[in-house]
Amino acid sequence: VASSLLSAEQKPAFVKQLRADYEKLRQQHGSQQVKLLSIEQARANAPKLTYTDLPKPAFTGSRVLDDFPLATLREFIDWSPFFHTWELRGVYPKILQHEKYGEEATKLFNDAQKLLDEIIAKKLIRATAVYGFFPAHRVGEDVEIYTDESRTKTLTKFHFLRQQMEKGDGSPNWSLADFIAPKTSQLPDHIGAFAVTTGHGLDELVKKFKADHDDYNAIMAEALADRLAEAFAEYLHKQAREEWGYGRTEKLSTDQIIDEAYRGIRPAAGYPACPDHTEKGTLWQLLDVEKSTGIQITESFAMWPGSSVSGLYFAHPESKYFAVGKLAQDQVADLAQRKGKPLVEMERWLGPWLNYNPGA
């Protein structure tokens, strides 16, 4: 790109083609409308779940894990995405024997183990987490969080979205709120929340490598920190399931845990099941994340340090991941009202998910 723009000969054609490509993308995006149900129709097609299996967590409130042992997290690393960082597509450990990528993948893996050994031995980065369980009930697509088990005082609310796509197969229109018992049931349900980071100390380590003109290990350190953060999230979810009771009888191997062959989910704000990034702010307040772990959120709700993971825990036996998909204006307006935000603000945050042109 830089070469094309700096070249007097190449620039005119490059810019012309670029503008044509983006005009094509605009037209494609504008025409990608799907047939949606009204929010009332989508709610009428919500799943009919039962809430008879409601285990009680070992504690309510939050707990902090500071300077957690990296050696423990190492056992929970999913190595496949590590190779994707280096644009090597494949599944670990099969990729190590890949006809085309095997030799390069093996060298990368060995180098990663060497650097990881050093990071663990010298404690070059620090792992910290906060997590907790809270009494909760569903009211529509909102989940109310209570100060204690009396459930008389609301501490905060999470606001979720519901699928609006028209389904011809009889399947329901899901919302994450469906996995929490409704307030009208008066059943004692709970929700979990967490935030983990393995990014403290990473900046200093990367700067040291770059000062030595070692970009390879600078990238390697960042890739390893990301893998350790995901491993921490996986480890902590296992611990949370055990402390919630229903995970105590799990007999899963590390590979099965990485493959998520367990009950419960841990969705994160900004992902397909809850595409509203602003819900991260509620999570930060609930767990006092910045004070507890040092993880900050930027004005665009990105996490800093970058090697961090956060989300919610749902324990319902039928809880699963799904994509909310495209949204109609009636639901976005409903969400804005529930959150006490202007419609235009919610449209800005949910721009990629809108099935309409705001302001048109």
Side-chain angles (χ1 to χ4, degrees):
V1 171
S3 297
S4 297
L5 291 173
L6 288 170
S7 169
E9 296 176 355
Q10 296 180 40
K11 181 178 178 179
F14 176 81
V15 171
K16 183 179 179 181
Q17 184 61 49
L18 187 69
R19 287 175 175 161
D21 290 344
Y22 273 82
E23 181 56 35
K24 184 179 179 181
L25 287 171
R26 275 189 289 273
Q27 291 175 1
Q28 288 176 345
H29 180 74
S31 64
Q32 286 179 348
Q33 292 192 335
V34 297
K35 191 170 184 180
L36 300 181
L37 302 174
S38 69
I39 185 59
E40 290 82 8
Q41 291 171 320
R43 286 168 175 162
N45 194 44
K48 308 296 189 288
L49 303 180
T50 58
Y51 304 92
T52 53
D53 184 2
L54 299 176
K56 186 178 181 179
F59 69 93
T60 54
S62 60
R63 291 180 177 176
V64 176
L65 302 177
D66 191 23
D67 200 13
F68 192 83
L70 296 176
T72 300
L73 302 183
R74 184 180 201 159
E75 303 306 311
F76 289 81
I77 292 177
D78 179 3
W79 284 103
S80 295
F82 167 79
F83 295 101
H84 301 170
T85 303
W86 305 90
E87 299 184 0
L88 295 179
R89 300 296 172 184
V91 177
Y92 174 82
K94 290 182 180 179
I95 193 172
L96 301 180
Q97 276 76 48
H98 193 279
E99 183 179 345
K100 184 177 180 182
Y101 308 126
E103 185 177 348
E104 188 177 356
T106 300
K107 180 184 182 303
L108 279 170
F109 186 70
N110 291 338
D111 289 346
Q113 300 309 306
K114 182 180 177 182
L115 180 55
L116 186 55
D117 287 341
E118 185 179 356
I119 287 172
I120 293 172
K122 297 181 179 179
K123 294 187 174 182
L124 298 177
I125 62 177
R126 187 166 56 90
T128 305
V130 61
Y131 73 109
F133 308 101
F134 304 88
H137 275 143
R138 167 169 61 85
V139 180
E141 280 82 46
D142 290 344
V143 172
E144 294 183 349
I145 311 298
Y146 305 107
T147 54
D148 55 44
E149 290 292 355
S150 71
R151 300 166 188 261
T152 55
K153 186 177 179 182
T154 301
L155 180 61
T156 189
K157 289 182 185 180
F158 286 103
H159 306 87
F160 298 111
L161 290 158
R162 184 172 297 283
Q163 292 176 326
Q164 282 188 273
M165 68 276 284
E166 192 175 74
K167 299 186 177 184
D169 58 0
S171 60
N173 291 72
W174 294 91
S175 170
L176 285 176
D178 297 329
F179 303 132
I180 301 294
K183 191 173 185 177
T184 52
S185 72
Q186 297 186 324
L187 295 170
D189 209 349
H190 296 79
I191 195 170
F194 73 96
V196 307
T197 186
T198 53
H200 296 309
L202 178 62
D203 253 8
E204 292 79 1
L205 180 59
V206 169
K207 286 176 182 175
K208 177 182 175 296
F209 282 130
K210 288 186 175 180
D212 294 336
H213 307 289
D214 188 354
D215 287 345
Y216 175 69
N217 272 310
I219 297 171
M220 182 72 75
E222 290 177 328
L224 287 173
D226 286 346
R227 289 296 87 217
L228 285 167
E230 292 290 348
F232 202 176
E234 201 65 83
Y235 169 85
L236 190 59
H237 193 189
K238 179 178 184 295
Q239 180 171 311
R241 294 193 302 274
E242 291 172 356
E243 291 177 334
W244 212 331
Y246 65 90
R248 290 176 193 153
T249 57
E250 277 184 7
K251 304 294 182 184
L252 302 177
S253 66
T254 301
D255 287 342
Q256 287 175 312
I257 290 173
I258 290 172
D259 289 338
E260 300 175 350
Y262 46 69
R263 169 178 165 176
I265 57 173
R266 52 176 180 90
Y271 280 76
C274 46
D276 179 9
H277 275 284
T278 67
E279 288 298 298
K280 219 173 284 178
T282 304
L283 177 65
W284 250 242
Q285 293 174 353
L286 178 65
L287 294 175
D288 201 0
V289 173
E290 185 170 350
K291 181 179 178 182
S292 301
T293 66
I295 311 172
Q296 301 175 21
I297 45 175
T298 68
E299 61 184 13
S300 59
F301 293 96
M303 292 178 286
W304 183 260
S307 300
S308 303
V309 182
S310 64
L312 298 170
Y313 295 139
F314 291 86
H316 194 282
E318 293 187 57
S319 59
K320 64 175 185 176
Y321 297 105
F322 58 87
V324 167
K326 291 290 186 177
L327 304 169
Q329 191 172 36
D330 60 351
Q331 180 166 197
V332 180
D334 179 85
L335 178 68
Q337 185 176 30
R338 286 189 279 135
K339 291 170 73 84
K341 302 288 186 183
L343 174 60
V344 291
E345 182 178 338
M346 293 317 303
E347 287 176 334
R348 178 169 64 85
W349 285 111
L350 294 169
W353 304 89
L354 301 182
N355 197 51
Y356 62 97
N357 187 11

